[in-house]
Amino acid sequence: MQGIRDIKRRIKTVTNTKQITKAMEMVAAAKLRRSQDKVIQSKPYAAKMQEVVERVLSNSRDYTNPIIEGNPQGKPAFIVVTADRGLCGGYNANVLRTAQKTIDKENSYVIVVGRKARDLMKKQGYNIVAEFLDIGDEPNYNHGQRIYGTVAQLLEEGLFSEVNIIYTQFINALTQRVVIERLLPVERKGEKISNIYLFEPSVEEVLDNLIPKYLTGKLYQALVESKAAEHGARMTAMGSATDNASEMIEKLTLTYNRARQASITQEILEIVNGANALD
């Protein structure tokens, strides 16, 4: 009978876990829809901004700015974007694995976004110069501005030779891809592009105002894509956990029924044997 009670207790525990994972899957699905809308809305803006900046820079060979060129004597910097929480499958592990393979621990600076990146990279001794935690489930443009402000300040101090970002690109709800993208220095095309725009005031003044918006937009795009990928990974992971719980409940129920039948059979045999002994 003790075995039967243990099985019943396990069935109840797994059932409760299944309810939790199912609820988390539904919550992640709702958050994913909102994040996916942000990704769709921000992509055209980011693409057009990049096109304009590259076009203007290609026709402004004399333009110099430490924000877009970096310091050749500095070290490479990497912005690593992960989640603050787990329970999202291999989402965090994939980003951190790519970061570990890419970043030279001794000769690089790291800016971490998310607790998972901060905890692991701090433990392993990476040179973390800034951290951004608790961004929440819906990043906004201000988060991109905060990160850009820190990056710009460190660039002006001459710490960075280049700035790269490692994040998860959102493909669809089931597919995410870790990418490494260079933010700075901004690439100048090999040849001048014809049909350049006419600017008032000067091209230099326009670029001075355009570059911060461009880089902030790129950072914001990375944040919203990472968050959408996180929600998609969590929804998938919780869906798999729910299916596994259902399968486990079926197996435990079958085991419980067999144990209960064996117990009943044993009791009947004991009664029959006792009656035979009295005869």
Side-chain angles (χ1 to χ4, degrees), residues 21 24-25 27-29 31-32 81-97 113-117 136-137 168 170 172-178 225-241:
T21 57
M24 292 182 68
E25 179 187 2
V27 170
K31 292 179 178 179
L32 173 61
V81 183
T82 63
D84 287 312
R85 298 176 292 142
L87 296 177
C88 47
Y91 170 81
N92 292 312
N94 291 337
V95 175
L96 294 172
R97 190 180 303 115
V113 180
R115 293 185 182 277
K116 293 298 180 178
D137 292 324
T168 306
F170 177 78
N172 55 51
L174 299 177
T175 307
Q176 301 88 32
R177 180 177 60 198
V178 179
E225 290 216 31
S226 294
K227 190 56 65 174
E230 177 191 342
H231 293 321
R234 182 169 289 111
M235 182 185 72
T236 302
M238 292 300 100
S240 298

Side-chain angles (χ1 to χ4, degrees), residues 5 43 66 83 89 160 207 224 237 249 257 259 268 270:
R5 285 197 295 269
K43 273 188 174 180
F160 301 157
L207 283 171
V224 295
I249 290 170
N257 290 335
I268 293 174
E270 290 176 356

Side-chain angles (χ1 to χ4, degrees), residues 104-119:
D104 182 351
K105 187 186 302 186
E106 303 299 329
N107 298 299
S108 300
Y109 294 110
V110 177
I111 297 173
V112 293
V113 180
R115 293 185 182 277
K116 293 298 180 178
R118 191 277 307 272
D119 293 346

